[in-house]
Amino acid sequence: MFARSVSMHLKSNSTEEFTQTIEREVIPLLRKQKGFQDQITFITPGGKEAVGISLWDHKEDAEAYRRGTYFEVQKALARLVDGTPQLQTYEVSNSTFHTIGARVPATETRPVFVG
């Protein structure tokens, strides 16, 4: 599983409109994307900062979204966000919401027990 984290500075007094835009415009777009699993959005107390975390089946699914539909999302949020949103990507290692198989890095070796 793969995650995208996008942090944004919100314009003054835009929290309610931002939340409604996420619900009405962004989430429906995300649900149409191949490999999309979940979206969680956080807003700081006072409404000056927001972080959106989306979960994807595979990195390739998230990259396809970034190259295509993400531009529509940026356009929908542009009137509510100051500056350029900052993107970070991650491999998901643990989740209580989703079942994720343990991943072993290619360079790691496991001991073999013979009993």
Side-chain angles (χ1 to χ4, degrees):
M1 186 170 281
F2 193 75
R4 289 172 40 92
S5 174
V6 181
S7 57
M8 299 156 270
H9 300 283
L10 299 181
K11 292 184 178 179
S12 296
N13 302 312
S14 67
T15 302
E16 186 175 334
E17 187 177 356
F18 176 81
T19 300
Q20 290 174 359
T21 301
I22 294 292
E23 190 68 32
R24 293 181 186 157
E25 297 180 43
V26 175
I27 291 175
L29 287 171
L30 287 168
R31 285 187 173 141
K32 294 177 184 177
Q33 304 306 301
K34 179 182 182 242
F36 172 73
Q37 288 291 319
D38 198 8
Q39 168 69 30
I40 305 168
T41 306
F42 304 93
I43 299 175
T44 59
K48 293 181 187 244
E49 305 285 328
V51 174
I53 298 174
S54 58
L55 300 174
W56 301 83
D57 286 336
H58 304 284
K59 180 179 181 178
E60 296 78 19
D61 299 327
E63 287 297 314
Y65 164 73
R66 181 190 59 78
R67 289 188 306 270
T69 305
Y70 182 59
F71 295 109
E72 291 180 54
V73 170
Q74 286 180 310
K75 185 177 175 183
L77 297 175
R79 68 187 184 283
L80 307 168
V81 174
D82 275 330
T84 303
Q86 300 301 304
L87 172 67
Q88 292 285 334
T89 58
Y90 305 90
E91 288 286 339
V92 178
S93 64
N94 303 87
S95 173
T96 60
F97 288 119
H98 301 276
T99 303
I100 300 167
R103 297 180 192 257
V104 178
T107 58
E108 184 177 322
T109 59
R110 291 182 176 233
V112 176
F113 296 97
V114 179

